[in-house]
Amino acid sequence: LFHVYINYPGKIRLQKFYLYITKFYLTINHGKLTFILIVFPGPPLDSLRSLGASHLPSKIMNPLFSLYFQVHQPYRLRDLRVTEIGSQDMQYFDEEKNKAVFRKVAEKCYLPANKLMLELIKNHPDFSISYSLSGVFLDQCEEYGEDVLDSFRALAETGQVEFLAETYYHSLSYLTSLEEFCEQVEKHVAKIKKLFKQTPKIFRNTELVFSNEIAEVARLMGFSGILAEGADHILAGRNPNFPYVPPKFD
């Protein structure tokens, strides 16, 4: 018998042996949920605290965590030839392959996963989730998968699903152009409003790239929160179980 506590550092106790959960991942394949735990062995929690690990929680709390799903599907380029460069009306993207890949993933993942999430929401009134859908993915939904779009609309109508804002093209535009970054985010917010009748309140940057400066830009754009990677250089020993307020800039 063992007890699992999701809060970081989670603790599994098996007889007198302890494993500490540093990260956990949730994957969906053919509508089945799979949890992957990243753990390391160690002494009891009280022993770690005695060694000065002050960032550990004073007590193990009830499991409390947020699930968000990030969905992106890039467009694929054709096998271009050098002789085609500069020719008029050249098609850069492989439309046939883009549609085939989208439909394959839709049948294998998007549709069964959304069906499963909808069932969980109906069976568990307190269960809620959030999605970060790139603008490029939503464009392909409109082109190749109206059924996929309808499945997300059904989730939105439950009132227990939140849609996050992000860069429209799943880009790293913040690193090169603040103007381009803001334009993409505004375009993405408009898309979410149009499709799901929601105004995103939380921002998620591409690949969870984070800095206090990015958080300040998100605040100035009207967002009330931003997601960040639980990386050591960001947390600096702090407990990831709590929300934090970044500094404001003059």
Side-chain angles (χ1 to χ4, degrees), residues 5-170:
Y5 300 89
I6 297 299
N7 284 64
Y8 175 90
K11 183 177 72 172
I12 299 176
R13 181 175 182 178
L14 181 60
Q15 296 180 351
K16 293 184 178 181
F17 184 72
Y18 289 78
L19 293 175
Y20 292 88
I21 302 172
T22 59
K23 291 183 179 180
F24 76 95
Y25 299 90
L26 175 70
T27 63
I28 299 178
N29 190 24
H30 295 290
K32 295 181 179 179
L33 292 174
T34 301
F35 284 94
I36 303 174
L37 303 179
I38 308 300
V39 301
F40 68 92
L45 193 61
D46 291 339
S47 298
L48 284 179
R49 291 200 187 95
S50 67
L51 295 176
S54 59
H55 63 283
L56 298 177
S58 59
K59 63 179 181 180
I60 297 297
M61 297 173 285
N62 292 326
L64 178 61
F65 58 96
S66 299
L67 290 178
Y68 95 93
F69 297 90
Q70 197 277 317
V71 186
H72 174 60
Q73 188 64 245
Y75 281 108
R76 288 157 180 81
L77 294 171
R78 287 195 308 109
D79 186 12
L80 299 173
R81 297 289 185 267
V82 174
T83 55
E84 294 182 278
I85 297 176
S87 56
Q88 293 183 346
D89 301 323
M90 184 176 70
Q91 298 297 318
Y92 288 94
F93 298 104
D94 191 331
E95 294 295 333
E96 184 177 344
K97 187 173 184 180
N98 284 325
K99 182 177 181 179
V101 170
F102 184 91
R103 291 312 312 175
K104 179 180 178 180
V105 180
E107 299 298 334
K108 183 179 180 180
C109 179
Y110 302 149
L111 293 172
N114 286 357
K115 180 181 178 181
L116 176 60
M117 292 299 109
L118 189 59
E119 291 174 354
L120 287 172
I121 289 172
K122 290 179 177 179
N123 295 330
H124 303 280
D126 294 331
F127 180 72
S128 60
I129 52 179
S130 58
Y131 286 91
S132 184
L133 312 176
S134 75
V136 173
F137 168 75
L138 293 173
D139 287 344
Q140 292 183 70
C141 282
E142 293 179 306
E143 293 179 66
Y144 316 125
E146 193 65 31
D147 54 341
V148 176
L149 203 52
D150 286 341
S151 70
F152 281 109
R153 289 192 179 108
L155 288 168
E157 290 170 359
T158 66
Q160 292 169 239
V161 173
E162 179 179 3
F163 292 93
L164 311 182
E166 64 165 87
T167 57
Y168 196 91
Y169 300 102
H170 194 66

